[in-house]
Amino acid sequence: MDTYEGVIQSVPERTIRNLINAAYNLDRFELLPGIMDEEELGKVSIKNNLVPVIRNLPDEVYPLLSLKKVGHCVKEQEQGVFTSKGYCCRSTEGWVEPYDGKELPEQTIEDYIFFVHLQVSKTKEDVWLKLPCSEKRTRQVLADLGIHTFKECTITDIRSPLPNFENAFGQDVDVETLNALAFTIYGMECLREGGADLEAEAFRNFDFESYGREDWRKSRLCMSPYVASSNETPLEEEQGNGPQMEL
């Protein structure tokens, strides 16, 4: 909701159509909490060397700069806005419009276990990745980051809708392990919602991860055509892509 406040300030007109579509574009914006004015934005921008035009200046020059003017310049260039919680600006390009002003888009549930922030150690490129995710999505993210393996990344943040999971792991945990765990948890929840007694003898050696992967893939095919076509590959195309990961 804090990010949404900034996004709706960025849309050209606050029509119902734009307000609904704004909710589908939150991942394209970033909120920096606590930065409430141009002076603070300028201070943070200079400290983190985020203003190309004033990079590589002699150290004695920086104290002479107007923090407010630097912040104003950054805000104008990024077309950012200040909200009641901080500074909001675009993090990636693009804008999707599931709502055409006539028919509301089909509602789907966000079924993720972990939401991890990855940063490439060398280039500092970063991305947020939802887990569980398919092999196709994994390949896409690696290509976007310009790397070959997630071992070249550092996990800087982990979020989860499950209680106590956000602080359960250190930065040394790897993406593959978290993805396998996400599929395992997802598989267990699917069976539990279906009425299965997971304490029963029949589930003592049950492969919850493989079941979760299979059910998760099938569920992608049951989504609306828009979601299924833009996010995932049909089940037939992903089978046979290699051995399943194990915890």
Side-chain angles (χ1 to χ4, degrees), residues 28-247:
R28 290 172 167 80
F29 291 79
E30 181 181 10
L31 178 71
L32 304 179
I35 300 179
M36 310 304 295
D37 54 37
E38 292 180 344
E39 184 171 351
E40 185 65 25
L41 178 60
K43 179 180 179 181
V44 172
S45 299
I46 292 176
K47 181 179 180 180
N48 293 280
N49 200 25
L50 301 178
V51 190
V53 71
I54 60 173
R55 286 176 183 169
N56 303 319
L57 291 176
D59 292 340
E60 57 270 20
V61 173
Y62 288 103
L64 305 177
L65 298 176
S66 168
L67 298 180
K68 185 175 182 179
K69 288 183 177 180
V70 172
H72 179 76
C73 177
V74 172
K75 179 175 177 290
E76 289 295 310
Q77 290 180 346
E78 297 181 342
Q79 296 184 337
V81 297
F82 292 106
T83 73
S84 62
K85 300 294 184 180
Y87 175 70
C88 184
C89 63
R90 270 189 175 274
S91 56
T92 59
E93 295 299 321
W95 182 270
V96 297
E97 293 201 359
Y99 180 46
D100 60 4
K102 298 178 181 179
E103 295 185 12
L104 287 171
E106 182 176 344
Q107 300 299 302
T108 58
I109 298 176
E110 290 281 9
D111 49 354
Y112 70 91
I113 306 300
F114 300 110
F115 197 30
V116 297
H117 183 249
L118 306 173
Q119 186 174 67
V120 181
S121 303
K122 292 184 178 180
T123 65
K124 303 304 179 183
E125 291 287 334
D126 67 318
V127 68
W128 281 94
L129 178 64
K130 291 181 180 180
L131 304 176
C133 73
S134 66
E135 293 181 16
K136 176 187 176 183
R137 175 59 178 160
T138 296
R139 293 191 297 269
Q140 177 186 336
V141 170
L142 289 174
D144 290 343
L145 293 175
I147 58 178
H148 297 88
T149 172
F150 284 123
K151 294 186 183 299
E152 300 174 57
C153 291
T154 299
I155 297 179
T156 63
D157 194 6
I158 301 176
R159 301 179 185 179
S160 174
L162 302 179
N164 303 321
F165 264 75
E166 292 189 353
N167 300 316
F169 305 95
Q171 291 186 348
D172 57 339
V173 67
D174 58 83
V175 175
E176 288 79 6
T177 297
L178 283 179
N179 199 33
L181 178 58
F183 275 119
T184 298
I185 296 172
Y186 180 82
M188 295 175 68
E189 289 303 311
C190 288
L191 288 168
R192 185 177 289 112
E193 289 179 3
D197 179 9
L198 302 187
E199 301 299 324
E201 183 67 24
F203 291 101
R204 181 177 297 275
N205 297 311
F206 191 80
D207 188 349
F208 294 104
E209 179 191 342
S210 294
Y211 179 84
R213 289 179 182 275
E214 186 76 6
D215 191 273
W216 189 84
R217 287 167 176 159
K218 289 180 179 179
S219 69
R220 304 282 78 72
L221 302 179
C222 297
M223 288 183 176
S224 66
Y226 171 82
V227 177
S229 64
S230 62
N231 287 339
E232 299 301 332
T233 299
L235 178 60
E236 297 82 20
E237 297 182 16
E238 288 206 354
Q239 289 178 339
N241 284 336
Q244 301 290 341
M245 293 181 289
E246 297 181 357
L247 284 176

